[in-house]
């Protein structure tokens, strides 16, 4: 069985400051890793994912996450946040090749960007 | 292209009543998933359809929950009779089978409040 831990339920930060949202997972098999974002009154949408290859993955709006197998982590970072980044962020893990592909989600981290 | 749509967006019912939630996946997506989020907690997997077949229903809480996907198109999730602990946001998601990128496309969710 796999699980995801997002230790921070809320992360307040000022605009243009850097931010890191932490995600740790546990799994006995190889994994795929995801970050989803939920803006107010919208559904979850994929922000970025790691399937294979380079352990550093990036999104189109400046977020990046690094797969660290030894630490079983997939932390999300952004060097300079914007007000519009205020949202809830969910880390998810699914089984890798040959697995079920059904992601297991964490409890979410609410990113609150203050002006 | 239309995204995943869910209806109703919000339902308030009394304990013991019945509620039916509906999900229309993205056209052509064979995979359909139901998840639930109880306030402040993780998004928990309920079940997975491949076309009209239940592939995995290990997350269904109990036999008060019944999910169907007749004809492999839209899906319904019925709760009968509803209990207080059933309150939460029910998310539907869909994905394609080939190629399977691991990405799920989510609806905006149906918020259920049981009084």
């Amino acid at each position: 069985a796999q699980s995801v831990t997002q230790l921070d339920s809320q992360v307040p930060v000022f605009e243009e400051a850097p931010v890191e949202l932490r995600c740790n997972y546990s799994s006995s098999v190889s994994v795929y890793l995801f970050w989803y974002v939920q803006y107010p009154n919208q559904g979850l949408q994929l922000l970025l994912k790691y399937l294979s290859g380079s352990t550093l993955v990036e999104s189109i709006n400046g977020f990046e996450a690094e797969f660290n197998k030894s630490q079983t982590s997939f932390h999300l970072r952004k060097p300079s946040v914007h007000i519009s980044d205020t949202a809830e962020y969910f880390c998810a893990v699914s089984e890798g090749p040959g697995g079920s592909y059904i992601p297991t989600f964490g409890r979410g981290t609410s990113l609150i960007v203050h002006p | 292209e239309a995204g995943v749509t869910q209806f109703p967006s919000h339902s308030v019912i009394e304990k013991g009543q019945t509620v039916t939630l509906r999900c229309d996946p993205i056209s052509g997506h064979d995979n359909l998933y139901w998840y639930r989020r109880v306030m402040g907690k993780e998004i928990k997997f309920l079940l997975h359809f491949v076309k009209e077949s239940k592939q995995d229903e290990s997350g269904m809480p109990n036999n008060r929950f019944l999910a169907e996907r007749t004809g492999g198109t839209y899906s319904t999730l019925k709760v009968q009779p509803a209990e207080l602990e059933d309150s939460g946001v029910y998310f539907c998601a869909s994905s394609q089978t080939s190629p399977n990128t691991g990405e799920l496309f989510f609806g905006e969710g149906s918020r259920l409040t049981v009084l």
Side-chain angles (χ1 to χ4, degrees):
Chain A
Q2 52 210 17
S3 65
V4 175
T5 301
Q6 293 182 250
L7 286 173
D8 305 307
S9 59
Q10 251 187 31
V11 173
V13 64
F14 286 106
E15 193 172 19
E16 298 184 6
V19 71
E20 178 180 83
L21 306 184
R22 295 178 293 169
C23 172
N24 288 86
Y25 69 91
S26 66
S27 177
S28 59
V29 298
S30 61
V31 297
Y32 294 151
L33 293 157
F34 308 85
W35 277 99
Y36 283 81
V37 58
Q38 185 182 23
Y39 298 104
N41 301 314
Q42 295 185 27
L44 280 75
Q45 52 189 279
L46 184 69
L47 185 62
L48 47 75
K49 63 184 177 184
Y50 168 79
L51 301 182
S52 65
S54 171
T55 57
L56 184 66
V57 291
E58 299 177 352
S59 72
I60 59 173
N61 58 351
F63 282 93
E64 65 178 30
E66 185 161 20
F67 169 49
N68 188 319
K69 188 174 181 179
S70 62
Q71 297 187 6
T72 60
S73 68
F74 192 56
H75 301 329
L76 181 69
R77 302 183 182 94
K78 189 170 185 180
S80 176
V81 294
H82 191 268
I83 294 285
S84 61
D85 293 324
T86 295
E88 193 148 24
Y89 293 79
F90 294 90
C91 182
V93 61
S94 71
E95 293 178 346
S100 72
Y101 294 104
I102 298 175
T104 298
F105 286 84
R107 67 173 186 168
T109 297
S110 182
L111 176 63
I112 304 167
V113 182
H114 297 288
Chain B
E1 178 183 303
V4 177
T5 57
Q6 293 187 244
F7 181 84
S9 57
H10 193 182
S11 180
V12 181
I13 62 173
E14 296 200 348
K15 175 182 172 181
Q17 290 186 319
T18 298
V19 64
T20 300
L21 310 178
R22 173 172 169 144
C23 169
D24 287 78
I26 292 173
S27 176
H29 281 191
D30 288 340
N31 296 289
L32 188 148
Y33 311 81
W34 283 99
Y35 283 83
R36 176 174 72 174
R37 189 185 191 203
V38 174
M39 188 185 299
K41 298 195 174 180
E42 69 272 22
I43 299 173
K44 293 194 75 171
F45 168 77
L46 297 179
L47 87 161
H48 169 217
F49 284 99
V50 176
K51 297 184 180 178
E52 66 274 10
S53 299
K54 291 177 185 175
Q55 194 75 11
D56 182 348
E57 52 184 331
S58 60
M60 294 287 264
N62 51 60
N63 59 10
R64 295 186 293 103
F65 289 74
L66 176 63
E68 294 180 322
R69 192 182 182 194
T70 307
T73 55
Y74 72 91
S75 174
T76 58
L77 179 65
K78 180 190 286 187
V79 185
Q80 179 182 31
E83 298 289 344
L84 299 179
E85 64 265 25
D86 300 334
S87 295
V89 181
Y90 291 77
F91 291 102
C92 176
S94 69
S95 70
Q96 57 191 16
T97 299
S98 180
N100 192 330
T101 64
E103 178 177 2
L104 268 59
F105 295 83
F106 281 83
E108 295 183 3
S110 291
R111 181 177 296 277
L112 173 63
T113 302
V114 183
L115 303 176

